[in-house]
Amino acid sequence: MQVKTANSLRGFVDDEHIRHLDPLDFDIRLPSLWEANAAGDVRALLAILNDILPSLETTKAMSLPESVATIRDLGIVMGSVKRHGVEPVVAIPELEAPLRAIGERTGMIPRDTIHHYIRWNPTGRRERMYTGEPMEKLLMASVRISLPRLSAAVDVCTALHTAEAGDLDFALAANELAALVGAMEDSIDTVIADVTPEFFARTIRPYFEDIRIGEDTFLGPAAAHVPLALVDLLLWASDHSDSEYLKFVHESAIYGLEHWRPLYQEWGNAPSLAARVIGALERGPKGEVPLAMHASVEALCRTLRSLMVFRGKHLTVARKAYADEVRLYELGSGGGSIGLLTNITSLVKGMWHMLRGPAPRNTRSAT
């Protein structure tokens, strides 16, 4: 019998239910995890991992929510083991079969992702963290601002992809997109206010290292894997990006939800929303711009402006965290470089200027 994965994770799993689950009795082990990480005690971490490791038979009998919660809890310990220089699956080969079985069951990679670390992670005293430190909790809170809104933005983009550029339905959805993407500004402001570059670079970043599972290597639960790149792709990047960023976008696809993956190919081969609106403006009659078209342009411009502000602040934070005297790694936890961030920021700014150019200001009709 074929197991439904994408549809289940998309529509039939209660996120709050997953957060309440503790299928590996991991709640009582959290203080021990934090103590072991603080001490760099790999033996203690491996003991925790061995204690909570379910058998292959047990994982096959789990419900979908239990499978998600299991990967969440195994992942926080695996990331801890790797942070201290040991490949968890090499140290405990029995991990591989349950990890792969759960990955197949959920339609996701066979380790934890940003969705497990944030979306399906309980808050309060049960919150799964690597360090237990307040600054880690604040960093996680910043991603909780953006992740659900960007996930909703993907759904809005799906509607925009099939709507006629300049129609009222397009304008309404574009305004909704602008509001959702605007949350990225709040998210990065929280990081700037509450998390020091040194804490991220030296304390948290090492926990997001990739791990090997058999012949495959998978990155950790990086915030770079929120679906912003997918929104970028439809909004502007499908036809106004460069090969470096498009490569990053498509390599990020495996770290998202299964039902999003076909969208990377579909939207990557389609004209962007920005290009469609510019084309509609250029084909339209000269003079007054219809209200729905005006609203569409303004909403996309606001969306791009939010991305410009976010990218600019993110670039500033990243430069501090990856400065020579601070950094432990050349690349970000999602695999991107400072050069890539700089280029994306420039591309978004150029797209914003391009979109504002064709539309006459303050000339709109009610039709």
Side-chain angles (χ1 to χ4, degrees):
M1 188 173 96
Q2 186 175 3
V3 175
K4 292 184 179 179
T5 53
N7 287 337
S8 297
L9 281 174
R10 185 178 190 182
F12 300 109
V13 164
D14 182 344
D15 290 350
E16 192 60 35
H17 176 55
I18 294 173
R19 296 182 197 116
H20 280 296
L21 292 175
D22 185 20
L24 306 181
D25 292 325
F26 190 60
D27 284 357
I28 61 172
R29 295 176 169 85
L30 271 172
S32 298
L33 176 80
W34 300 337
E35 289 171 9
N37 274 328
D41 190 341
V42 178
R43 291 181 65 182
L45 291 168
L46 288 172
I48 294 172
L49 193 52
N50 259 315
D51 286 346
I52 66 172
L53 176 61
S55 68
L56 180 59
E57 291 71 23
T58 299
T59 60
K60 287 182 177 179
M62 286 179 174
S63 67
L64 185 68
E66 288 171 334
S67 299
V68 174
T70 294
I71 285 286
R72 176 197 67 204
D73 294 347
L74 289 173
I76 208 85
V77 188
M78 291 192 298
S80 299
V81 170
K82 181 59 186 285
R83 182 261 178 270
H84 297 290
V86 175
E87 285 286 352
V89 179
V90 173
I92 306 177
E94 295 82 6
L95 267 170
E96 182 173 357
L99 290 175
R100 290 199 180 278
I102 294 175
E104 187 172 335
R105 172 78 175 91
T106 60
M108 301 184 76
I109 62 169
R111 71 160 296 180
D112 54 326
T113 67
I114 192 64
H115 299 274
H116 299 84
Y117 185 48
I118 301 298
R119 174 179 175 179
W120 296 313
N121 197 343
T123 55
R125 62 178 181 81
R126 298 183 56 239
E127 190 166 20
R128 277 71 170 127
M129 296 187 288
Y130 298 104
T131 67
E133 295 189 23
M135 204 169 282
E136 180 182 1
K137 187 181 285 283
L138 288 163
L139 180 63
M140 296 169 75
S142 74
V143 186
R144 281 198 179 91
I145 294 170
S146 59
L147 180 56
R149 290 165 179 81
L150 286 176
S151 298
V154 173
D155 291 335
V156 174
C157 282
T158 301
L160 283 164
H161 180 53
T162 57
E164 189 68 29
D167 280 359
L168 183 57
D169 285 344
F170 188 101
L172 292 168
N175 274 287
E176 187 176 356
L177 180 64
L180 292 167
V181 172
M184 295 301 295
E185 296 185 52
D186 297 323
S187 181
I188 195 65
D189 284 346
T190 301
V191 174
I192 292 169
D194 300 330
V195 182
T196 66
E198 292 79 11
F199 179 82
F200 178 80
R202 294 185 169 272
T203 302
I204 289 298
R205 169 66 180 84
Y207 290 104
F208 299 149
E209 275 292 86
D210 57 31
I211 63 172
R212 291 203 311 273
I213 301 176
E215 299 299 316
D216 303 311
T217 300
F218 299 98
L219 297 172
H225 293 147
V226 299
L228 179 58
L230 182 55
V231 173
D232 271 344
L233 192 61
L234 187 67
L235 177 60
W236 65 272
S238 66
D239 44 23
H240 286 86
S241 186
D242 61 14
S243 59
E244 183 184 17
Y245 184 44
L246 289 176
K247 180 174 182 288
F248 176 85
V249 169
H250 288 288
E251 287 176 350
S252 300
I254 64 168
Y255 298 100
L257 303 179
E258 187 183 33
H259 67 274
W260 289 345
R261 291 177 201 156
L263 301 179
Y264 285 85
Q265 186 70 30
E266 181 182 350
W267 294 355
N269 291 329
S272 66
L273 301 178
R276 288 170 56 200
V277 167
I278 290 171
L281 279 168
E282 291 174 344
R283 291 190 302 271
K286 304 303 178 186
E288 287 192 339
V289 176
L291 176 59
M293 177 60 75
H294 176 87
S296 298
V297 173
E298 289 298 317
L300 293 188
C301 283
R302 289 199 309 277
T303 305
L304 287 165
R305 185 187 178 282
S306 290
L307 290 178
M308 275 197 302
V309 172
F310 164 73
R311 300 286 192 192
K313 292 180 178 180
H314 184 205
L315 181 57
T316 299
V317 170
R319 281 174 171 156
K320 293 177 180 177
Y322 290 93
D324 290 342
E325 65 274 15
V326 175
R327 73 183 181 198
L328 299 178
Y329 303 91
E330 289 282 341
L331 298 178
S333 49
S337 65
I338 295 295
L340 177 61
L341 287 177
T342 303
N343 193 37
I344 297 169
T345 304
S346 177
L347 288 168
V348 171
K349 186 176 182 179
M351 192 70 249
W352 178 77
H353 282 293
M354 187 181 300
L355 184 57
R356 290 191 71 83
R361 302 296 97 196
N362 300 318
T363 57
R364 57 185 184 273
S365 67
T367 56

